[in-house]
Amino acid sequence: MKKFISLLLSVVTALCFVGCKKKDQTESKTGRHSLNATDTSFDMVKDGKSDYKVLIPVETTTASVYAQEELTRFFEEATGITLEIVQSKEVTHTADGKYISLGNTEAFKTSGLTVDEDELGRDGVRIITKDKTVYIAGGSDYGVLYGVYDFLKINFGFEFYYKDCYDLDTGVKDLKLKNFDVTDIPDIPLRVRNGILFPSTSDKDDTLFAYRMRTADQIENMIFPIHMKFGDQSSASLNNHNSLYYLPRDEYEISDPEFYSIKGEQLCYTARGNQEKFEKMTTLCAEKAIQSLKWYAPEQYPLMNTVMLGIADNWDTCNCDACKKVMAAHNDSEAAAILIFINAMGKKVVDWMNLPENAVYKRDDLQFTFFAYQSTLTPPFKVDDKGNVNAAD
């Protein structure tokens, strides 16, 4: 066990233990997290020795390689035993086989076991014991990797806090094979890494920190880039503060000044109260989003599921009379006009996507978002003392 005396880490450790049972209790059920495991009469480790091997598929990915490396590393640190890795199509399931099988191995295929990959999603995992073999199977290799961490937690109390701070039982000389019946599905399907979760060195603990925290995603893999120009994928693009990429000022400001706030640093999300211009704005923005849906198709960019319309940073929103009227009707919220605008734009995108001829571009999890911070932080509704939300239509 690595120990670091620090007030900050002590607080983090305390928070990380909230909601967890003591490590000698192997059953924990919360929502879609069922970590069930009971001892069998068979040994996985006996007198500091083990007959178990790690079985991996012939075809590997970055996540599956990390899974085998993490399993063998921490298993050795806990027990002193270096597990042999077997990569073979010839190893099938047998009653006497002693393996920890990672992913879609031939043994798993011949075990008679199945998992519902749709239910698990990309990062969910099932850990199942059959005869003397433990199968760690995921919705993808990411799920298998996270399943390794569940396996280590149940067997050795593995808890990870920082790049160089974790709990792990060591000196383990005897360990019973457990009858695993684990289903662990994240409550939040996609979890974006940020800040310290990005590696700053080539050190392996630094590289794997984000994976151990189960945050494999990066924002650019999830949000569609919006390009400055129609029909030119090489033109400048942005996926966050991108409102003026949808409607570049040098292209529309002379012909359609209503598109922009009175000061010009932001869009005017009411088009100064001009309904015809509002329709034109939402149509053009929808067409920009549709262009990105076409250019970043699901088969090549499976994680992209978010269309962002982000205001320009550090500038006030529009305070024209039309925007003020919307604010007054919605809790004095500057976000109200943006929300109305994005709903109108998003409906056009979804209607296009749902046409039969556009099925190849369809994403069932497509969502739309915007920045709600600084002057747009106030929500367009109020909550009374009883928790009831009062909002205008």
Side-chain angles (χ1 to χ4, degrees):
M1 178 186 293
K2 294 191 175 183
K3 295 182 179 179
F4 299 86
I5 300 175
S6 163
L7 175 60
L8 175 60
L9 286 180
S10 296
V11 173
V12 172
T13 301
L15 291 174
C16 287
F17 273 113
V18 172
C20 297
K21 293 189 177 182
K22 296 179 181 178
K23 64 185 178 184
D24 61 347
Q25 294 177 280
T26 56
E27 181 173 345
S28 173
K29 290 185 177 181
T30 307
R32 303 173 76 187
H33 310 281
S34 180
L35 307 184
N36 298 320
T38 55
D39 284 348
T40 70
S41 59
F42 300 110
D43 295 311
M44 179 168 278
V45 176
K46 181 66 175 176
D47 297 328
K49 298 179 181 179
S50 180
D51 295 326
Y52 273 79
K53 301 176 182 179
V54 177
L55 185 61
I56 64 173
V58 173
E59 296 182 359
T60 61
T61 64
T62 298
S64 67
V65 170
Y66 285 160
Q68 70 189 54
E69 291 178 348
E70 293 284 81
L71 175 59
T72 54
R73 169 189 168 172
F74 289 111
F75 196 98
E76 181 176 11
E77 188 172 330
T79 66
I81 299 168
T82 303
L83 295 175
E84 179 184 344
I85 296 174
V86 178
Q87 186 175 27
S88 173
K89 282 187 176 181
E90 307 304 319
V91 179
T92 58
H93 178 85
T94 62
D96 293 325
K98 294 182 179 180
Y99 295 100
I100 305 170
S101 170
L102 303 181
N104 197 27
T105 62
E106 196 65 26
F108 178 72
K109 295 176 185 176
T110 58
S111 67
L113 300 171
T114 59
V115 298
D116 188 338
E117 293 185 357
D118 289 337
E119 178 188 12
L120 293 178
R122 189 196 64 184
D123 292 352
V125 63
R126 285 278 286 139
I127 307 178
I128 312 165
T129 303
K130 182 166 184 180
D131 297 319
K132 297 178 182 178
T133 295
V134 176
Y135 291 99
I136 302 179
S140 75
D141 287 336
Y142 284 103
V144 175
L145 172 60
Y146 301 148
V148 164
Y149 298 136
D150 283 341
F151 174 89
L152 293 169
K153 174 184 175 66
I154 292 169
N155 280 309
F156 306 117
F158 181 72
E159 292 282 0
F160 201 83
Y161 309 119
Y162 193 60
K163 298 174 184 181
D164 56 357
C165 182
Y166 57 87
D167 279 338
L168 183 75
D169 295 339
T170 57
V172 177
K173 299 300 180 183
D174 296 287
L175 179 69
K176 288 295 184 182
L177 169 68
K178 288 183 168 53
N179 183 25
F180 287 97
D181 183 15
V182 168
T183 300
D184 195 5
I185 303 171
D187 296 296
I188 302 173
L190 300 176
R191 299 165 305 284
V192 173
R193 64 176 68 175
N194 202 354
I196 61 172
L197 289 169
F198 283 106
S200 57
T201 70
S202 59
D203 179 75
K204 203 59 176 285
D205 285 330
D206 195 358
T207 300
L208 285 166
F209 179 45
Y211 293 95
R212 292 170 184 168
M213 300 302 289
R214 308 194 190 198
T215 54
D217 301 307
Q218 298 186 42
I219 195 72
E220 60 266 24
N221 295 332
M222 301 171 65
I223 299 180
F224 287 95
I226 298 299
H227 289 262
M228 187 76 75
K229 296 183 180 298
F230 280 113
D232 183 1
Q233 195 169 358
S234 67
S235 66
S237 65
L238 196 62
N239 60 12
N240 44 51
H241 296 286
N242 58 11
S243 57
L244 296 177
Y245 281 66
Y246 281 91
L247 301 171
R249 291 174 60 184
D250 60 2
E251 187 170 352
Y252 296 106
E253 191 167 30
I254 294 176
S255 61
D256 301 284
E258 297 89 349
F259 287 6
Y260 305 96
S261 66
I262 291 175
K263 294 182 180 180
E265 294 91 355
Q266 303 277 14
L267 298 182
C268 175
Y269 293 96
T270 65
R272 312 276 184 90
N274 186 318
Q275 189 58 38
E276 182 180 345
K277 295 291 186 177
F278 179 86
E279 179 68 17
K280 183 177 179 180
M281 282 183 73
T282 55
T283 298
L284 286 169
C285 288
E287 288 173 352
K288 275 287 178 75
I290 288 168
Q291 175 175 263
S292 291
L293 264 66
K294 289 180 177 180
W295 283 346
Y296 301 91
E299 65 273 11
Q300 294 176 293
Y301 301 89
L303 296 184
M304 278 191 182
N305 70 343
T306 302
V307 175
M308 161 72 85
L309 199 163
I311 61 175
D313 202 12
N314 295 319
W315 295 104
D316 292 334
T317 57
C318 185
N319 64 346
C320 71
D321 290 342
C323 287
K324 289 179 179 178
K325 184 177 180 180
V326 172
M327 285 176 58
H330 297 86
N331 194 36
D332 289 329
S333 170
E334 295 183 38
I338 303 174
L339 183 59
I340 292 168
F341 185 94
I342 289 180
N343 281 338
M345 178 195 82
K347 184 179 186 307
K348 293 176 180 180
V349 175
V350 172
D351 287 347
W352 172 88
M353 187 177 63
N354 285 334
L355 294 174
E357 60 266 31
N358 297 322
V360 66
Y361 306 113
K362 186 172 182 179
R363 294 172 183 264
D364 292 330
D365 60 346
L366 186 68
Q367 57 189 352
F368 299 83
T369 189
F370 67 100
F371 286 123
Y373 75 128
Q374 294 181 358
S375 65
T376 60
L377 186 60
T378 301
F381 55 82
K382 290 183 178 179
V383 181
D384 64 24
D385 293 339
K386 296 181 179 179
N388 299 312
V389 175
N390 301 312
D393 293 334

